[in-house]
Amino acid sequence: MRYVWPDYYPAFSCIASRCQHSCCIGWEIDIDPETLARYRSMEGPMGDRLKTCISEEEDPHFILGKEERCPFLNQENLCDLILYGGEALLCQICTDHPRFRNFLPGRTELGVGLCCEAAAHLILTRKDPVRLLVSGEEDEGEGEELLALRQQALSIAQDRTKSIAQREEELLAQFQGWVPALSPGQWAEVYLGLERLDESWTGHLEALREEGDTLDLAAFAAYMADRQTEYEQLLVYFLYRHLLTAWEDGDPGSKVSFAVCSLRFLRLLGALHWQRHGEFTLKDQEEYARLYSAEVEYSQENLDFLFDSLM
């Protein structure tokens, strides 16, 4: 088996109680069968607590409490399960998140998702081009064409002799991609039509619908002229994470289109924030990227809709 990961991947670590958007709040946390069996066998006060905090209807999961908090997230925003028995006591999804895995025959690719603020900060503060690191052996002949296409896309995305806009256009041309020429307000309507979780995300979309067509995108581009690496890192992230999913549907063009579309929509949100507040900081960029990822990438329904629309 061959393993692949971005060179920043080993530097990721959870910031625990310092996190402003805990993944232990607002998400249904499923429990894998192996961990569920271990929880069932636990005795004593913690075993009793586990039994009262788990629902086994349909997919087993923790029963969220007030404000949709995991029942084991204490008032200091630390995990009582970790405090009691260490990380080995966590279920698989809690161990992995926000890490993700993509698969080809004989190949597993690893990464961290933008939905986590620590991951977003790690990715967006990077100045150097991302390198993919590899370990292990891989059988030849399986997925080589798709891997070559992905490498081509990453090379275009990281070509710093060209502007980000030029790289976007080259990606769409090379992969026969397509992003509709909608106004900012129309794009807001598209995203408002998707499944939504966070009220703040809805607020941003409604503001873009109302004010988006007044944006001075050229002025915002000039404001961001010396921060192009942020957009490069976003583009590389979306390409790395999603292009190999074309192994399942045979359509790399829609994945490249999704990467470009996502980048352009995040730019619209940035321009709106700048117009409203007179500034757009790196922290603002990280927050919009985090929200976008949580609302779009972590809803398969939303992903499928956008992939199909961009096919």
Side-chain angles (χ1 to χ4, degrees):
M1 176 68 70
R2 172 162 290 182
Y3 294 92
V4 181
W5 60 92
D7 54 1
Y8 58 76
Y9 178 79
F12 173 78
S13 63
C14 175
I15 57 176
S17 62
R18 293 183 288 118
C19 184
Q20 298 295 307
H21 305 279
S22 173
C23 54
C24 304
I25 302 175
W27 299 78
E28 183 173 286
I29 304 168
D30 292 338
I31 305 169
D32 55 284
E34 181 178 339
T35 305
L36 181 63
R38 188 164 72 249
Y39 288 166
R40 284 173 176 163
S41 68
M42 288 183 63
E43 299 179 351
M46 182 57 76
D48 293 340
R49 184 178 173 189
L50 279 162
K51 290 178 178 63
T52 62
C53 292
I54 292 174
S55 170
E56 297 196 33
E57 295 181 8
E58 298 181 357
D59 296 325
H61 59 274
F62 291 115
I63 301 169
L64 300 182
K66 187 178 180 180
E67 299 178 339
E68 296 191 312
R69 293 172 66 91
C70 171
F72 292 93
L73 184 68
N74 65 30
Q75 292 305 305
E76 288 73 41
N77 281 345
L78 295 172
C79 175
D80 282 341
L81 285 171
I82 292 178
L83 295 174
Y84 176 81
E87 292 188 13
L89 200 55
L90 296 177
C91 58
Q92 193 63 50
I93 194 170
C94 291
T95 299
D96 288 346
H97 189 80
R99 300 167 186 85
F100 63 82
R101 295 179 178 87
N102 287 329
F103 302 98
L104 285 177
R107 183 184 184 96
T108 299
E109 298 206 342
L110 313 170
V112 289
L114 277 173
C115 71
C116 167
E117 66 188 70
H121 181 75
L122 178 65
I123 292 168
L124 284 165
T125 55
R126 183 182 175 86
K127 300 301 182 185
D128 296 329
V130 172
R131 295 181 300 116
L132 298 184
L133 304 181
V134 178
S135 71
E137 297 297 326
E138 180 178 32
D139 295 334
E140 295 183 1
E142 298 263 24
E144 286 187 347
E145 182 178 353
L146 185 56
L147 288 169
L149 288 174
R150 206 265 306 273
Q151 184 54 52
Q152 179 186 3
L154 292 176
S155 296
I156 293 170
Q158 293 180 312
D159 182 358
R160 295 185 176 183
T161 67
K162 299 175 181 176
S163 70
I164 288 294
Q166 289 172 322
R167 295 180 232 180
E168 293 170 19
E169 292 300 330
E170 185 173 348
L171 281 166
L172 294 176
Q174 290 292 327
F175 288 86
Q176 299 181 338
W178 176 73
V179 176
L182 303 180
S183 71
Q186 290 172 322
W187 273 117
E189 289 285 5
V190 170
Y191 281 87
L192 279 165
L194 301 181
E195 178 186 45
R196 285 171 279 117
L197 297 175
D198 192 318
E199 291 182 2
S200 68
W201 177 244
T202 299
H204 293 312
L205 298 180
E206 290 175 342
L208 183 63
R209 179 178 60 188
E210 299 303 317
E211 303 174 41
D213 295 341
T214 69
L215 297 178
D216 188 341
L217 297 177
F220 181 66
Y223 175 79
M224 295 293 291
D226 61 348
R227 292 170 55 187
Q228 295 299 286
T229 56
E230 295 170 31
Y231 292 126
E232 176 185 310
Q233 303 303 2
L234 286 168
L235 190 55
V236 167
Y237 164 84
F238 288 124
L239 290 169
Y240 174 73
R241 179 163 192 174
H242 296 287
L243 209 157
L244 286 196
T245 64
W247 175 257
E248 300 172 359
D249 62 17
D251 184 39
S254 68
K255 312 308 179 292
V256 171
S257 298
F258 171 77
V260 173
C261 176
S262 298
L263 187 67
R264 290 179 176 179
F265 192 71
L266 283 168
R267 191 181 294 125
L268 291 179
L269 292 174
L272 176 65
H273 185 99
W274 176 67
Q275 178 169 286
R276 285 182 142 201
H277 302 283
E279 64 175 2
F280 182 64
T281 66
L282 174 61
K283 188 174 180 62
D284 296 327
Q285 182 86 281
E286 293 169 5
E287 173 58 9
Y288 283 112
R290 183 200 67 79
L291 261 176
Y292 183 89
S293 177
E295 295 286 336
V296 176
E297 288 189 298
Y298 286 81
S299 166
Q300 193 60 49
E301 179 182 333
N302 289 348
L303 275 179
D304 289 343
F305 174 84
L306 290 171
F307 288 154
D308 290 347
S309 299
L310 297 167
M311 189 174 292

